[in-house]
Amino acid sequence: MRLGIGRTPFQISERADVVTTRRIIRLFAPYRRAVLLVVLLVAIFSALNAAVPLLTQVVFDRALFGAGGPRPGLLALIAALAAVVAAGAAGVDLAQAWISARMAQRIIHSLRTRLFGHLQRMPLGFFAAARSGEIQSRLANDTDQIEDAIKDTLPSLLGSLLGFLFALGAMFSLSWRLAAVTLCLAPAILWVTARSGRALKILSAAGQRARAEIASIAAERLSLGGITLARVHGRDGHEAAVFAAESERLAGLGVRASLAAQSVLSAGHIFFVLTPYIVFVAAGLMDGITPGTLMAFVVLQSRLYQPLWQILHISTEFRTAQAAFERVFEYLDLPPGPPPAVGGAGAGEVSVAGASYAYAGPEGETRWALREVTLDLPAASTTLIVGPNGSGKTTLGHLLAGLYEPAEGSVRTGGRVCLAPQEALLFQGSIADNLRYAAPDAGLDDLIAACTTTRMHERIMALPDGYDSVVGERGALLSGGERQRLALARALLSDAPVLVLDEATSALDPLAEREVVHAVLRRRRGLTTVMITHRFGGLDAFDTVVVLDGGRVAESGTPPQLLGDRHGLYARMVRAQAVQRRAEIAANMR
């Protein structure tokens, strides 16, 4: 089957390989001097290695079997010279390794931080669709493979190529006829390499995808939520079976990749064993080949084919690294999300003009979450956004915070917007560390004031270490309500001109929620606050209520105005919640 106009899949993949190789080369551009120095040192090392076998010719033809018999003085001199050459080669190789390692660390540091920064700018939809284990695999495992390639594989490849050239030159200096015979044998091993390299790359890429899948399964299933879900539903065995199946698939790919690589090396081994005997036969058919020349030539032949052997091994490693490069480049090529549209409104003001937003459905269809929403929130105002489930409340909150870009219309804010979501994300560390994430320079008095507002201070002081108490991974050592109070205090410390609370108090009981919300509004007097909630009974301290229904603004006005329309959606929802609360109270009294 042909793709495009006159291009086979093999040709397309070949072009992709060329593009990837060019991008890899560009990574070395800022380190031209280091690259040139490495090339120079590798060239010196290769030249010294090629010079040692030439001493073998002198040993055999002059020092051992020359006219007059063995010459101990010349043998000692040659041995001393060989020691100097070997020591010099070792020193040069050590310097090259040090420079290569430093260069590799700088390149991989730059690539890793560039990838991390690029991922931070990706739209939220990317993270909603991607699996965290896959992202972590590319950021950690793939960059580790790239580091090995830059530090070890590429210098080794350079050394092998130069070693091949220097050995070939020395062989021609000894006997151009034997060198020609040896050179005619080289294309066979190169042909084996070219035939197997592409298959090995495909297997390596499949293996990296399988490792990413295993990382994703482990990240999801071994999290606190994943373990809890599996145990309450009795799915422990099922999860173990899923992991075992994926691990078995990875093992199978590993066996196939090892077999592909070893088949190349095995073919090369057979080739390298036979070639000296081919040279012996050729030397027997030629005149003027001395024993010393033949011995030096056989040693050089090993120095010639040894680089080819190394190139075989390096090519297998490079194919693996190339797949890792492509996976990292794939992420770097993804377009980042647009920056938040800050500006175009006065300080603390929010202007939403005809904003619409859509999600892609499971079959790729467009599902509109918001349609033509228009809002104007003055500075220092307080706004309550309510509506039935699925009415678009959270989507609107993400638009206000600049986390989503509207498909139509615009969202303008006068200053930074801080969003406190329903899921209170806390990092492993102390309570103080988590609070200072929003305000690194905040003092203890600032932390206490914010936590007092959210009614969290007394709970913190009851802990053994107070504000230095560790919250555990994702705040696991705190209750859901405590995590929300702590996250809300963190948001207050930011002192953002606009604060959006998206179900940020949903884990609190109604009385506690009312108390905390009123305290937050008092603290933020003079700043803009927007609260999104599904439980709004008793929250009458807001200037404006916006009611969403079906992704559109159904009602808008002050709480008394909307309650005055008994047939309006807001009034009906308030009455329904009041009936529900009375039923809950009656049930608790039984």
Side-chain angles (χ1 to χ4, degrees):
M1 184 181 70
R2 305 180 75 85
L3 301 179
I5 302 176
R7 297 178 190 170
T8 66
F10 177 82
Q11 291 169 329
I12 293 174
S13 179
E14 205 170 44
R15 173 170 292 186
D17 287 350
V18 172
V19 172
T20 300
T21 302
R22 289 175 178 172
R23 295 184 69 172
I24 294 172
I25 293 174
R26 285 199 294 270
L27 293 175
F28 291 84
Y31 308 96
R32 294 183 182 90
R33 293 183 179 179
V35 171
L36 291 176
L37 186 55
V38 168
V39 172
L40 177 62
L41 292 175
V42 170
I44 294 174
F45 177 79
S46 301
L48 292 175
N49 268 351
V52 172
L54 297 179
L55 297 177
T56 304
Q57 182 190 30
V58 179
V59 169
F60 273 78
D61 290 345
R62 298 179 59 186
L64 286 178
F65 305 112
R71 302 169 60 184
L74 182 57
L75 283 172
L77 179 62
I78 294 174
L81 183 59
V84 171
V85 172
V92 169
D93 191 41
L94 182 62
Q96 176 275 130
W98 179 71
I99 295 172
S100 297
R102 287 193 60 191
M103 180 174 61
Q105 292 300 331
R106 290 178 181 178
I107 291 175
I108 201 63
H109 168 72
S110 175
L111 186 63
R112 188 185 289 122
T113 53
R114 177 183 165 197
L115 177 59
F116 185 87
H118 185 76
L119 289 172
Q120 283 191 309
R121 296 190 299 273
M122 293 299 294
L124 287 188
F126 166 80
F127 296 98
R131 305 179 68 179
S132 60
E134 171 74 17
I135 296 174
Q136 294 166 7
S137 177
R138 299 202 191 194
L139 191 59
N141 297 342
D142 290 348
T143 53
D144 284 346
Q145 288 189 348
I146 291 173
E147 178 184 353
D148 292 339
I150 295 175
K151 182 179 64 177
D152 301 324
T153 306
L154 297 180
S156 297
L157 179 62
L158 178 63
S160 298
L161 291 174
L162 290 177
F164 176 85
L165 294 176
F166 278 109
L168 186 62
M171 291 169 71
F172 269 98
S173 70
L174 290 172
S175 170
W176 70 268
R177 293 174 296 175
L178 289 179
V181 171
T182 301
L183 196 59
C184 289
L185 302 174
I189 195 64
L190 296 178
W191 177 83
V192 173
T193 304
R195 291 287 296 177
S196 61
R198 190 167 303 279
L200 183 60
K201 178 190 171 184
I202 294 172
L203 290 171
S204 298
Q208 287 164 336
R209 288 193 296 270
R211 291 185 185 93
E213 181 66 18
I214 284 181
S216 296
I217 292 173
E220 293 175 353
R221 279 24 177 215
L222 294 181
S223 65
L224 177 60
I227 291 292
T228 302
L229 186 65
R231 289 183 180 175
V232 299
H233 291 285
R235 301 282 284 177
D236 306 67
H238 169 76
E239 299 298 349
V242 170
F243 185 86
E246 193 62 33
S247 179
E248 185 176 1
R249 188 170 79 89
L250 176 59
L253 288 170
V255 170
R256 291 170 61 191
S258 298
L259 184 60
Q262 190 59 44
S263 63
V264 180
L265 299 179
S266 297
H269 178 74
I270 296 173
F271 180 80
F272 296 148
V273 169
L274 293 178
T275 48
Y277 294 95
I278 297 175
V279 170
F280 292 153
V281 172
L285 301 176
M286 298 176 185
D287 296 328
I289 304 297
T290 65
T293 298
L294 185 59
M295 288 301 299
F297 196 91
V298 170
V299 174
L300 280 171
Q301 188 182 52
S302 67
R303 299 289 175 89
L304 179 75
Y305 287 137
Q306 183 63 30
L308 287 181
W309 176 278
Q310 290 175 343
I311 290 173
L312 286 176
H313 182 66
I314 292 169
S315 67
T316 63
E317 294 181 347
F318 183 74
R319 289 292 182 176
T320 301
Q322 190 177 27
F325 273 111
E326 289 177 355
R327 284 164 51 83
V328 171
F329 290 153
E330 181 184 3
Y331 269 9
L332 289 175
D333 291 340
L334 294 174
V342 177
E349 295 180 356
V350 177
S351 175
V352 182
S356 299
Y357 189 84
Y359 296 96
E363 303 298 329
E365 73 278 7
T366 300
R367 184 175 64 84
W368 290 97
L370 292 175
R371 292 306 303 263
E372 300 176 354
V373 173
T374 296
L375 294 173
D376 287 306
L377 308 182
S381 64
T382 59
T383 304
L384 188 67
I385 298 178
V386 301
N389 291 334
S391 59
K393 301 187 298 295
T394 294
T395 301
L396 178 57
H398 283 67
L399 284 177
L400 296 180
L403 300 177
Y404 290 168
E405 179 76 5
E408 299 172 358
S410 64
V411 177
R412 299 289 176 182
T413 59
R416 188 171 64 86
V417 179
C418 179
L419 174 70
Q422 179 177 9
E423 182 181 357
L425 176 61
L426 301 178
F427 297 112
Q428 174 72 28
S430 69
I431 290 175
D433 291 339
N434 275 277
L435 290 170
R436 289 195 176 102
Y437 189 84
D441 298 328
L444 180 59
D445 291 341
D446 299 320
L447 307 187
I448 292 174
C451 290
T452 300
T453 299
T454 64
R455 306 302 188 256
M456 186 62 186
H457 174 66
E458 292 184 2
R459 170 62 182 136
I460 293 174
M461 297 309 296
L463 297 173
D465 297 319
Y467 282 82
D468 292 325
S469 299
V470 175
V471 301
E473 186 175 1
R474 301 180 68 86
L477 300 182
L478 302 176
S479 69
E482 290 168 347
R483 289 195 295 270
Q484 283 195 337
R485 291 173 191 262
L486 197 60
L488 183 54
R490 179 175 59 194
L492 291 175
L493 284 167
S494 69
D495 282 330
V498 181
L499 174 63
V500 178
L501 309 177
D502 182 11
E503 303 282 6
T505 55
S506 60
L508 307 182
D509 64 74
L511 293 179
E513 180 181 41
R514 177 183 173 85
E515 182 182 2
V516 168
V517 169
H518 282 253
V520 168
L521 295 181
R522 286 194 298 271
R523 176 187 171 96
R524 286 188 54 81
R525 186 174 289 113
L527 299 173
T528 304
T529 303
V530 179
M531 182 172 180
I532 298 170
T533 181
H534 70 283
R535 190 177 61 187
F536 45 86
L539 298 180
D540 52 3
F542 288 85
D543 302 330
T544 305
V545 176
V546 176
V547 184
L548 295 181
D549 189 21
R552 298 178 183 272
V553 176
E555 298 174 356
S556 178
T558 65
Q561 287 174 339
L562 296 185
L563 285 174
D565 181 5
R566 295 187 55 82
H567 300 290
L569 179 57
Y570 179 74
R572 286 186 281 118
M573 293 175 68
V574 170
R575 290 196 299 270
Q577 289 195 7
V579 171
Q580 181 182 0
R581 282 200 303 274
R582 286 195 295 269
E584 291 174 353
I585 293 173
N588 292 332
M589 294 178 62
R590 293 194 184 101

